[in-house]
Amino acid sequence: MVDRRRLRMRTAFPRTRPVSRPAEPEQRHGLAAWVRSTKVWVGTVVVAVLATLVTNGLLTVPGQLFNSEDAKDRLRQGPDFSVTVDFVHLDDEGRSGVTKDEFRPSAAQESLLARQGSAGTAAYTRLLHSIGAAGLDTLTLRVTLTGHRNQQIDIKDLQPLIVTRTAPLTGTLLCAPSQGDLSTMNMLIDMDRQFPVAHDVKFGGGPGAEGGASVEMGPPFFARRTVTLRDNEQQVLLIRAVTQRHYVAFRLEASYMLGSHEKKTVIDDHGKPFQVTALLSATGKASSYRSVYRLQQDFSMRRIDPHGGGLC
């Protein structure tokens, strides 16, 4: 007979078998392990180097491809630089002028001219300008330049643009000759030359020299230099135009660099050209002026006979 109690115990507690564990992979040793670790180290270094290059590239590329100062200048309104022109009479050139047509003064203008010391006043200078009188033999301009850009402006040339060149004017001569010595200026332009160019100024002779002191042409002004302007910086140029044979009306054209851009602008007398004329007697002309005002000992300006000779 089968022992039922032992059978029940075998059924309730079945006999277990030992579980076999999977075999652990063998660890790599020797050359294979060294190669694997070296690959990991090299990969880490390469990734770090690439990250550095990418980061630096992102920071520096805009500076190489995008000029921030140029962009700022494109947004700024107005001219690259402003120009103010003043007519000045230096000690060596007097305050003489000649009109195209005969000057017929009003009562107020006649009174101004006849006033003692009138030739040395600002009112007389304004009168010359208001009646359109050209400078006699010389014209001196004080040109003040003011920069208005973030980038530096380099003015590399100042070229006269001839509007008219004819025989000297024959209207009214207002003669107030020089009473002083030589004055300092930056540029000298001979308007009798076919292609006038701005030159340096050389002062020859002297008070004790034979013939007295003189102003002479030096080398071309812009041959060895430029005039630079930074933002809000000012430069002042004293420019003298001279003629001994002609009447010349002209403007000045400034050529300059703004960053890498070459540009030009024109300088004139509020839309009108500048004017300078030679004295008639210096050109050997037989014709005389229509009327003449000459400086008196009390520095007033009185009308004289235009055919009397010794006009100025």
Side-chain angles (χ1 to χ4, degrees), residues 173-222:
L173 167 65
L174 297 98
C175 177
S178 167
Q179 301 292 312
D181 297 325
L182 291 180
S183 299
T184 302
M185 66 205 76
N186 300 89
M187 298 183 199
L188 192 61
I189 306 175
D190 184 355
M191 304 306 296
D192 290 331
R193 297 190 178 187
Q194 185 176 3
F195 302 106
V197 174
H199 285 256
D200 279 324
V201 180
K202 292 174 59 178
F203 297 95
E210 183 178 354
S214 62
V215 176
E216 302 173 1
M217 289 280 189
F221 183 89
F222 289 97

CSV table of all heavy atoms in Angstrom, one decimal, residues 173-222:
chain,number,residue,atom,x,y,z
A,173,LEU,N,34.8,149.2,-57.9
A,173,LEU,CA,36.0,148.8,-57.1
A,173,LEU,C,35.9,149.5,-55.8
A,173,LEU,O,35.7,150.7,-55.7
A,173,LEU,CB,37.3,149.2,-57.8
A,173,LEU,CG,38.6,149.1,-57.0
A,173,LEU,CD1,38.9,147.7,-56.5
A,173,LEU,CD2,39.7,149.8,-57.7
A,174,LEU,N,35.9,148.7,-54.7
A,174,LEU,CA,36.0,149.2,-53.4
A,174,LEU,C,37.4,148.9,-52.8
A,174,LEU,O,37.7,147.7,-52.5
A,174,LEU,CB,34.9,148.7,-52.5
A,174,LEU,CG,33.5,149.0,-52.9
A,174,LEU,CD1,32.9,147.9,-53.7
A,174,LEU,CD2,32.6,149.4,-51.7
A,175,CYS,N,38.3,149.8,-52.8
A,175,CYS,CA,39.7,149.6,-52.5
A,175,CYS,C,40.0,149.9,-51.1
A,175,CYS,O,40.0,151.1,-50.7
A,175,CYS,CB,40.6,150.4,-53.5
A,175,CYS,SG,42.3,150.2,-53.1
A,176,ALA,N,40.4,148.9,-50.3
A,176,ALA,CA,40.9,149.1,-48.9
A,176,ALA,C,42.1,148.2,-48.8
A,176,ALA,O,42.0,147.0,-48.3
A,176,ALA,CB,39.8,148.7,-47.9
A,177,PRO,N,43.3,148.6,-49.2
A,177,PRO,CA,44.4,147.8,-49.3
A,177,PRO,C,45.0,147.4,-47.9
A,177,PRO,O,44.5,147.9,-46.9
A,177,PRO,CB,45.5,148.7,-50.0
A,177,PRO,CG,45.0,150.1,-49.7
A,177,PRO,CD,43.5,150.0,-49.7
A,178,SER,N,45.9,146.4,-48.0
A,178,SER,CA,46.5,145.9,-46.7
A,178,SER,C,47.2,146.9,-45.9
A,178,SER,O,47.8,147.9,-46.5
A,178,SER,CB,47.5,144.8,-47.1
A,178,SER,OG,48.3,144.4,-46.0
A,179,GLN,N,47.1,146.8,-44.6
A,179,GLN,CA,47.8,147.7,-43.7
A,179,GLN,C,48.7,146.9,-42.7
A,179,GLN,O,49.3,147.5,-41.8
A,179,GLN,CB,46.7,148.4,-42.8
A,179,GLN,CG,45.7,149.2,-43.6
A,179,GLN,CD,46.3,150.4,-44.3
A,179,GLN,OE1,47.1,151.2,-43.7
A,179,GLN,NE2,46.0,150.6,-45.6
A,180,GLY,N,49.0,145.6,-43.0
A,180,GLY,CA,49.7,144.8,-42.1
A,180,GLY,C,50.7,143.9,-42.8
A,180,GLY,O,51.0,144.0,-44.0
A,181,ASP,N,51.3,142.9,-42.0
A,181,ASP,CA,52.3,142.0,-42.4
A,181,ASP,C,51.6,140.7,-42.9
A,181,ASP,O,50.4,140.6,-42.9
A,181,ASP,CB,53.3,141.7,-41.3
A,181,ASP,CG,54.0,143.0,-40.9
A,181,ASP,OD1,54.3,143.8,-41.8
A,181,ASP,OD2,54.3,143.1,-39.7
A,182,LEU,N,52.4,139.7,-43.1
A,182,LEU,CA,51.9,138.4,-43.6
A,182,LEU,C,51.1,137.7,-42.5
A,182,LEU,O,51.4,137.9,-41.3
A,182,LEU,CB,53.1,137.5,-44.0
A,182,LEU,CG,53.8,137.9,-45.3
A,182,LEU,CD1,54.9,136.9,-45.6
A,182,LEU,CD2,52.9,138.0,-46.4
A,183,SER,N,50.2,136.9,-42.9
A,183,SER,CA,49.4,136.1,-41.9
A,183,SER,C,49.6,134.6,-42.2
A,183,SER,O,50.0,134.2,-43.3
A,183,SER,CB,47.9,136.5,-42.1
A,183,SER,OG,47.7,137.9,-41.7
A,184,THR,N,49.3,133.8,-41.2
A,184,THR,CA,49.4,132.4,-41.4
A,184,THR,C,48.1,131.8,-42.0
A,184,THR,O,47.0,132.2,-41.6
A,184,THR,CB,49.6,131.7,-40.0
A,184,THR,OG1,50.8,132.3,-39.4
A,184,THR,CG2,49.8,130.2,-40.1
A,185,MET,N,48.3,130.8,-42.9
A,185,MET,CA,47.2,130.1,-43.5
A,185,MET,C,47.7,128.7,-43.8
A,185,MET,O,48.8,128.4,-43.8
A,185,MET,CB,46.7,130.8,-44.8
A,185,MET,CG,47.8,130.8,-45.9
A,185,MET,SD,47.5,132.2,-47.0
A,185,MET,CE,48.2,133.5,-46.1
A,186,ASN,N,46.7,127.8,-44.1
A,186,ASN,CA,47.0,126.4,-44.3
A,186,ASN,C,47.3,126.1,-45.8
A,186,ASN,O,48.2,125.4,-46.1
A,186,ASN,CB,45.8,125.5,-43.9
A,186,ASN,CG,45.5,125.6,-42.4
A,186,ASN,OD1,44.8,126.5,-42.0
A,186,ASN,ND2,46.2,124.8,-41.6
A,187,MET,N,46.4,126.6,-46.7
A,187,MET,CA,46.4,126.3,-48.1
A,187,MET,C,46.5,127.5,-49.0
A,187,MET,O,45.9,128.5,-48.6
A,187,MET,CB,45.2,125.4,-48.5
A,187,MET,CG,45.0,124.1,-47.7
A,187,MET,SD,43.6,123.2,-48.4
A,187,MET,CE,43.3,122.1,-47.0
A,188,LEU,N,47.1,127.3,-50.2
A,188,LEU,CA,47.1,128.3,-51.2
A,188,LEU,C,46.8,127.7,-52.5
A,188,LEU,O,47.3,126.6,-52.9
A,188,LEU,CB,48.5,128.9,-51.2
A,188,LEU,CG,48.8,130.2,-52.0
A,188,LEU,CD1,47.9,131.3,-51.4
A,188,LEU,CD2,50.2,130.6,-52.0
A,189,ILE,N,45.8,128.3,-53.2
A,189,ILE,CA,45.4,127.8,-54.5
A,189,ILE,C,45.5,128.9,-55.6
A,189,ILE,O,44.9,130.0,-55.4
A,189,ILE,CB,43.9,127.4,-54.4
A,189,ILE,CG1,43.7,126.4,-53.3
A,189,ILE,CG2,43.4,126.7,-55.8
A,189,ILE,CD1,42.2,126.0,-53.1
A,190,ASP,N,46.3,128.6,-56.6
A,190,ASP,CA,46.5,129.6,-57.7
A,190,ASP,C,45.4,129.3,-58.7
A,190,ASP,O,45.4,128.4,-59.5
A,190,ASP,CB,47.9,129.3,-58.3
A,190,ASP,CG,48.2,130.4,-59.4
A,190,ASP,OD1,47.3,131.2,-59.8
A,190,ASP,OD2,49.3,130.3,-59.9
A,191,MET,N,44.4,130.2,-58.8
A,191,MET,CA,43.3,130.0,-59.7
A,191,MET,C,43.6,130.4,-61.1
A,191,MET,O,42.8,130.1,-62.0
A,191,MET,CB,42.1,130.9,-59.2
A,191,MET,CG,41.7,130.6,-57.7
A,191,MET,SD,41.3,128.9,-57.3
A,191,MET,CE,39.9,128.6,-58.4
A,192,ASP,N,44.8,130.9,-61.4
A,192,ASP,CA,45.2,131.1,-62.8
A,192,ASP,C,45.7,129.9,-63.5
A,192,ASP,O,45.8,129.9,-64.7
A,192,ASP,CB,46.3,132.2,-62.8
A,192,ASP,CG,45.7,133.6,-62.5
A,192,ASP,OD1,44.5,133.8,-62.7
A,192,ASP,OD2,46.5,134.4,-62.0
A,193,ARG,N,46.0,128.8,-62.7
A,193,ARG,CA,46.4,127.6,-63.4
A,193,ARG,C,45.2,126.9,-64.0
A,193,ARG,O,44.1,127.0,-63.6
A,193,ARG,CB,47.1,126.7,-62.3
A,193,ARG,CG,48.3,127.3,-61.7
A,193,ARG,CD,49.1,126.3,-60.9
A,193,ARG,NE,50.3,126.9,-60.3
A,193,ARG,CZ,51.2,126.1,-59.7
A,193,ARG,NH1,51.1,124.8,-59.5
A,193,ARG,NH2,52.3,126.7,-59.2
A,194,GLN,N,45.6,126.1,-65.0
A,194,GLN,CA,44.5,125.4,-65.8
A,194,GLN,C,43.8,124.4,-64.8
A,194,GLN,O,42.6,124.3,-64.9
A,194,GLN,CB,45.1,124.6,-67.0
A,194,GLN,CG,44.0,124.0,-67.8
A,194,GLN,CD,44.6,123.3,-69.1
A,194,GLN,OE1,45.8,123.3,-69.3
A,194,GLN,NE2,43.8,122.8,-69.9
A,195,PHE,N,44.5,123.7,-64.0
A,195,PHE,CA,44.0,122.7,-63.1
A,195,PHE,C,44.5,123.1,-61.7
A,195,PHE,O,45.5,122.6,-61.2
A,195,PHE,CB,44.3,121.3,-63.4
A,195,PHE,CG,43.9,120.9,-64.8
A,195,PHE,CD1,44.9,120.8,-65.8
A,195,PHE,CD2,42.6,120.6,-65.1
A,195,PHE,CE1,44.5,120.4,-67.1
A,195,PHE,CE2,42.2,120.3,-66.4
A,195,PHE,CZ,43.1,120.2,-67.4
A,196,PRO,N,43.8,124.0,-61.0
A,196,PRO,CA,44.2,124.5,-59.7
A,196,PRO,C,44.2,123.3,-58.6
A,196,PRO,O,43.3,122.5,-58.6
A,196,PRO,CB,43.2,125.5,-59.3
A,196,PRO,CG,42.5,125.9,-60.6
A,196,PRO,CD,42.5,124.7,-61.4
A,197,VAL,N,45.2,123.3,-57.8
A,197,VAL,CA,45.4,122.3,-56.8
A,197,VAL,C,45.8,123.1,-55.5
A,197,VAL,O,46.5,124.1,-55.5
A,197,VAL,CB,46.5,121.3,-57.1
A,197,VAL,CG1,46.8,120.4,-56.0
A,197,VAL,CG2,46.1,120.6,-58.4
A,198,ALA,N,45.3,122.5,-54.3
A,198,ALA,CA,45.6,123.1,-53.0
A,198,ALA,C,47.1,122.8,-52.7
A,198,ALA,O,47.5,121.6,-52.8
A,198,ALA,CB,44.7,122.5,-52.0
A,199,HIS,N,47.8,123.8,-52.3
A,199,HIS,CA,49.2,123.7,-52.0
A,199,HIS,C,49.5,124.1,-50.6
A,199,HIS,O,48.8,124.9,-50.0
A,199,HIS,CB,50.1,124.5,-52.9
A,199,HIS,CG,50.2,124.0,-54.3
A,199,HIS,ND1,51.4,123.3,-54.8
A,199,HIS,CD2,49.4,123.9,-55.3
A,199,HIS,CE1,51.2,122.9,-56.0
A,199,HIS,NE2,50.0,123.3,-56.4
A,200,ASP,N,50.6,123.6,-50.0
A,200,ASP,CA,51.1,124.1,-48.8
A,200,ASP,C,51.6,125.6,-49.0
A,200,ASP,O,51.8,126.0,-50.1
A,200,ASP,CB,52.4,123.3,-48.3
A,200,ASP,CG,52.0,122.1,-47.6
A,200,ASP,OD1,50.9,122.1,-46.8
A,200,ASP,OD2,52.6,121.0,-47.7
A,201,VAL,N,51.7,126.3,-47.9
A,201,VAL,CA,52.1,127.7,-48.0
A,201,VAL,C,53.6,127.9,-47.5
A,201,VAL,O,53.9,127.3,-46.5
A,201,VAL,CB,51.2,128.6,-47.1
A,201,VAL,CG1,51.6,130.1,-47.2
A,201,VAL,CG2,49.8,128.5,-47.6
A,202,LYS,N,54.4,128.5,-48.3
A,202,LYS,CA,55.8,128.9,-47.9
A,202,LYS,C,55.9,130.4,-47.8
A,202,LYS,O,55.4,131.1,-48.7
A,202,LYS,CB,56.7,128.3,-49.0
A,202,LYS,CG,56.8,126.8,-49.1
A,202,LYS,CD,57.7,126.4,-50.2
A,202,LYS,CE,59.1,127.0,-50.1
A,202,LYS,NZ,60.0,126.5,-51.2
A,203,PHE,N,56.5,130.8,-46.8
A,203,PHE,CA,56.7,132.3,-46.6
A,203,PHE,C,58.1,132.6,-46.9
A,203,PHE,O,59.1,132.2,-46.2
A,203,PHE,CB,56.3,132.7,-45.1
A,203,PHE,CG,54.9,132.4,-44.8
A,203,PHE,CD1,54.5,131.3,-44.2
A,203,PHE,CD2,53.9,133.4,-45.1
A,203,PHE,CE1,53.2,131.1,-43.9
A,203,PHE,CE2,52.6,133.2,-44.8
A,203,PHE,CZ,52.2,132.0,-44.2
A,204,GLY,N,58.3,133.4,-48.0
A,204,GLY,CA,59.7,133.7,-48.4
A,204,GLY,C,60.1,135.1,-47.9
A,204,GLY,O,59.2,135.9,-47.6
A,205,GLY,N,61.4,135.4,-48.0
A,205,GLY,CA,61.9,136.7,-47.6
A,205,GLY,C,61.6,137.0,-46.2
A,205,GLY,O,61.7,136.2,-45.3
A,206,GLY,N,61.3,138.3,-45.9
A,206,GLY,CA,61.0,138.7,-44.5
A,206,GLY,C,61.0,140.2,-44.5
A,206,GLY,O,61.2,140.9,-45.5
A,207,PRO,N,60.7,140.8,-43.3
A,207,PRO,CA,60.6,142.3,-43.3
A,207,PRO,C,61.9,143.0,-43.7
A,207,PRO,O,61.9,144.0,-44.3
A,207,PRO,CB,60.3,142.5,-41.8
A,207,PRO,CG,59.7,141.2,-41.3
A,207,PRO,CD,60.3,140.2,-42.1
A,208,GLY,N,63.1,142.3,-43.5
A,208,GLY,CA,64.3,142.9,-43.8
A,208,GLY,C,64.8,142.5,-45.2
A,208,GLY,O,65.9,143.0,-45.6
A,209,ALA,N,64.1,141.6,-45.9
A,209,ALA,CA,64.6,141.1,-47.2
A,209,ALA,C,64.3,142.1,-48.3
A,209,ALA,O,63.3,142.9,-48.2
A,209,ALA,CB,64.0,139.7,-47.4
A,210,GLU,N,65.0,142.0,-49.4
A,210,GLU,CA,64.8,142.8,-50.5
A,210,GLU,C,63.4,142.5,-51.1
A,210,GLU,O,63.2,141.3,-51.4
A,210,GLU,CB,65.9,142.7,-51.6
A,210,GLU,CG,65.7,143.6,-52.8
A,210,GLU,CD,66.8,143.4,-53.8
A,210,GLU,OE1,67.8,142.7,-53.5
A,210,GLU,OE2,66.7,144.1,-54.8
A,211,GLY,N,62.5,143.4,-51.3
A,211,GLY,CA,61.2,143.1,-51.8
A,211,GLY,C,60.2,142.8,-50.8
A,211,GLY,O,59.0,142.6,-51.0
A,212,GLY,N,60.7,142.6,-49.5
A,212,GLY,CA,59.8,142.3,-48.4
A,212,GLY,C,59.4,140.9,-48.4
A,212,GLY,O,59.9,140.0,-49.1
A,213,ALA,N,58.5,140.5,-47.4
A,213,ALA,CA,58.1,139.1,-47.3
A,213,ALA,C,57.1,138.7,-48.4
A,213,ALA,O,56.5,139.6,-49.0
A,213,ALA,CB,57.4,138.9,-45.9
A,214,SER,N,57.0,137.4,-48.6
A,214,SER,CA,56.1,137.0,-49.7
A,214,SER,C,55.5,135.6,-49.4
A,214,SER,O,56.1,134.9,-48.5
A,214,SER,CB,56.9,136.9,-51.0
A,214,SER,OG,58.0,135.9,-50.9
A,215,VAL,N,54.4,135.4,-50.0
A,215,VAL,CA,53.7,134.1,-49.8
A,215,VAL,C,54.0,133.3,-51.1
A,215,VAL,O,53.8,133.8,-52.2
A,215,VAL,CB,52.2,134.2,-49.6
A,215,VAL,CG1,51.5,132.9,-49.6
A,215,VAL,CG2,52.0,135.0,-48.3
A,216,GLU,N,54.5,132.0,-51.0
A,216,GLU,CA,54.8,131.2,-52.1
A,216,GLU,C,54.2,129.9,-52.0
A,216,GLU,O,53.8,129.4,-51.0
A,216,GLU,CB,56.4,131.0,-52.2
A,216,GLU,CG,57.1,132.4,-52.3
A,216,GLU,CD,58.6,132.1,-52.2
A,216,GLU,OE1,59.0,131.0,-52.1
A,216,GLU,OE2,59.4,133.1,-52.3
A,217,MET,N,54.1,129.2,-53.2
A,217,MET,CA,53.5,127.9,-53.3
A,217,MET,C,54.5,126.9,-52.8
A,217,MET,O,55.6,126.8,-53.2
A,217,MET,CB,53.1,127.5,-54.7
A,217,MET,CG,51.9,128.3,-55.3
A,217,MET,SD,50.4,127.6,-54.7
A,217,MET,CE,49.2,128.5,-55.7
A,218,GLY,N,54.0,126.0,-51.9
A,218,GLY,CA,54.8,124.8,-51.5
A,218,GLY,C,54.3,123.6,-52.2
A,218,GLY,O,53.7,123.7,-53.3
A,219,PRO,N,54.7,122.4,-51.8
A,219,PRO,CA,54.2,121.2,-52.4
A,219,PRO,C,52.7,121.0,-52.3
A,219,PRO,O,52.1,121.7,-51.4
A,219,PRO,CB,55.0,120.1,-51.7
A,219,PRO,CG,55.3,120.7,-50.4
A,219,PRO,CD,55.5,122.1,-50.6
A,220,PRO,N,52.1,120.1,-53.1
A,220,PRO,CA,50.6,119.9,-53.0
A,220,PRO,C,50.3,119.5,-51.5
A,220,PRO,O,50.9,118.7,-50.9
A,220,PRO,CB,50.4,118.8,-54.0
A,220,PRO,CG,51.4,118.9,-55.0
A,220,PRO,CD,52.7,119.4,-54.2
A,221,PHE,N,49.2,120.1,-51.0
A,221,PHE,CA,48.9,120.0,-49.6
A,221,PHE,C,48.5,118.5,-49.3
A,221,PHE,O,48.9,118.0,-48.2
A,221,PHE,CB,47.7,120.9,-49.3
A,221,PHE,CG,47.2,120.8,-47.8
A,221,PHE,CD1,47.8,121.7,-46.9
A,221,PHE,CD2,46.3,119.9,-47.4
A,221,PHE,CE1,47.4,121.7,-45.6
A,221,PHE,CE2,45.9,119.9,-46.1
A,221,PHE,CZ,46.5,120.8,-45.2
A,222,PHE,N,47.8,117.8,-50.1
A,222,PHE,CA,47.3,116.5,-49.8
A,222,PHE,C,48.2,115.4,-50.4
A,222,PHE,O,47.8,114.2,-50.4
A,222,PHE,CB,45.9,116.3,-50.4
A,222,PHE,CG,44.8,117.1,-49.6
A,222,PHE,CD1,44.4,118.3,-50.1
A,222,PHE,CD2,44.3,116.6,-48.4
A,222,PHE,CE1,43.4,119.0,-49.4
A,222,PHE,CE2,43.3,117.3,-47.7
A,222,PHE,CZ,42.9,118.5,-48.2
